[in-house]
């Protein structure tokens, strides 16, 4: 059996290594929170729009709401795709990913502490090279955190209120030629025998696990190896999120 530590991937990474991840906060001059996140060649712009008030079905209940929308630009891939708005319908994949991002963010927010306020996260894929949903979730958390702090400065939420109870991020894992690998680029994703997206909190708790055997079924040992890889990757992503947010606070303090 091949030693995983001896395997070098097409882009030079080891099996347990993330692609280069960058988080550029405050990319949008207009949104209450924003982040341009890159997972290697995948780039997603995440903006958070804060509104004082909630949907009618939540009015008077003393709780807030966080939701998300996801989309891909026509030339985010190697061939042009028509805009779904032009087609006149939103595709099933888009609905699924939008709901996934919303669920992931709601897993780490105390809606009572948020008060009767709404945050809508828009995740727009500028360039796709695998892992667009995982990059979107990871960047969306940073945009949400900045929107919450914006609301605090505007006194829409209390100064001592703590709506965010943890971080949340996501990463893909898969089995390629029998080897579990972290953070799949597109060329790896299309040939993976098993493909999985794992959403986890900073404390290492699972929010969602989406896994499929594209070829041969996988066993419990392989599942455990993939989950271990994903938790390690998500821990690294959480550290990057916190570092990006801390750098912003230091700059603001300066």
């Amino acid at each position: 059996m091949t030693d995983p530590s001896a395997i070098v991937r097409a882009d030079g990474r080891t099996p347990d290594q993330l692609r280069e991840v960058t988080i550029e906060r405050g990319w949008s001059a207009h949104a209450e929170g924003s982040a341009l996140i890159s997972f290697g060649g995948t780039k997603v712009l995440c903006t958070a729009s804060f509104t004082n008030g909630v949907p009618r079905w939540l009015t008077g209940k003393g709780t807030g709401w966080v939701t998300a929308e996801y989309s891909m630009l026509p030339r985010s891939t190697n061939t042009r795709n028509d805009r779904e708005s032009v087609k006149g319908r939103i595709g099933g994949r888009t609905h699924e990913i939008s709901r996934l991002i919303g669920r992931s963010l709601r897993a780490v927010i105390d809606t009572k502490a948020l008060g009767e306020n709404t945050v809508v996260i828009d995740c727009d894929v500028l360039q796709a090279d695998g892992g667009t949903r995982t990059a979107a979730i990871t960047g969306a958390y940073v945009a949400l955190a900045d929107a919450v702090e914006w609301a605090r400065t505007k006194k829409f939420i209390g100064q001592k209120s703590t709506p965010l109870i943890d971080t949340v991020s996501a990463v893909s894992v898969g089995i390629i030629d029998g080897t579990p690998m972290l953070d799949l680029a597109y060329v790896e994703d299309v040939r993976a025998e098993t493909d999985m997206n794992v959403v986890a909190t900073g404390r290492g708790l699972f929010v969602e696990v989406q896994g499929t055997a594209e070829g041969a079924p996988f066993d419990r040992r392989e599942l455990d190896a993939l989950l271990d890889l994903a938790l390690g990757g998500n821990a690294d992503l959480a550290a990057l999120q916190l570092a990006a947010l801390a750098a912003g606070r230091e700059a603001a303090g300066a």
Side-chain angles (χ1 to χ4, degrees), residues 45-128:
L45 174 60
C46 304
T47 57
S49 301
F50 189 99
T51 303
N52 183 218
V54 290
R56 185 179 303 174
W57 52 276
L58 279 175
T59 301
K61 295 184 178 180
T63 186
W65 183 242
V66 175
T67 188
E69 294 185 14
Y70 166 97
S71 68
M72 297 182 68
L73 294 187
R75 275 316 298 265
S76 59
T77 56
N78 57 359
T79 57
R80 186 183 187 278
N81 295 305
D82 290 338
R83 297 180 190 273
E84 292 181 329
S85 59
V86 173
K87 292 179 180 178
R89 60 181 178 81
I90 303 300
R93 177 181 181 274
T94 298
H95 272 305
E96 179 229 333
I97 297 176
S98 295
R99 294 179 67 184
L100 170 64
I101 298 168
R103 286 195 302 273
S104 300
L105 297 173
R106 290 192 295 273
V108 295
I109 196 158
D110 180 347
T111 53
K112 289 286 187 182
L114 183 62
E116 291 200 10
N117 298 296
T118 300
V119 184
V120 179
I121 310 291
D122 288 289
C123 297
D124 293 294
V125 179
L126 308 183
Q127 182 170 283

Side-chain angles (χ1 to χ4, degrees), residues 164-234:
L164 289 172
I165 57 178
D166 204 346
T167 62
V168 67
S169 61
V171 72
S172 64
V173 287
I175 298 175
I176 300 172
D177 297 331
T179 301
M181 294 187 180
L182 177 69
D183 190 19
L184 307 184
Y186 179 74
V187 293
E188 298 169 327
D189 184 50
V190 294
R191 54 187 292 264
E193 295 115 56
T194 298
D195 183 21
M196 189 175 293
N197 297 300
V198 180
V199 185
T201 68
R203 291 182 293 157
L205 302 178
F206 294 110
V207 176
E208 190 146 345
V209 177
Q210 302 176 332
T212 304
E214 302 288 351
F218 53 93
D219 61 25
R220 177 63 179 270
R221 176 184 57 83
E222 291 170 318
L223 173 61
D224 288 343
L226 290 173
L227 292 178
D228 287 343
L229 268 181
L231 286 177
N234 275 311

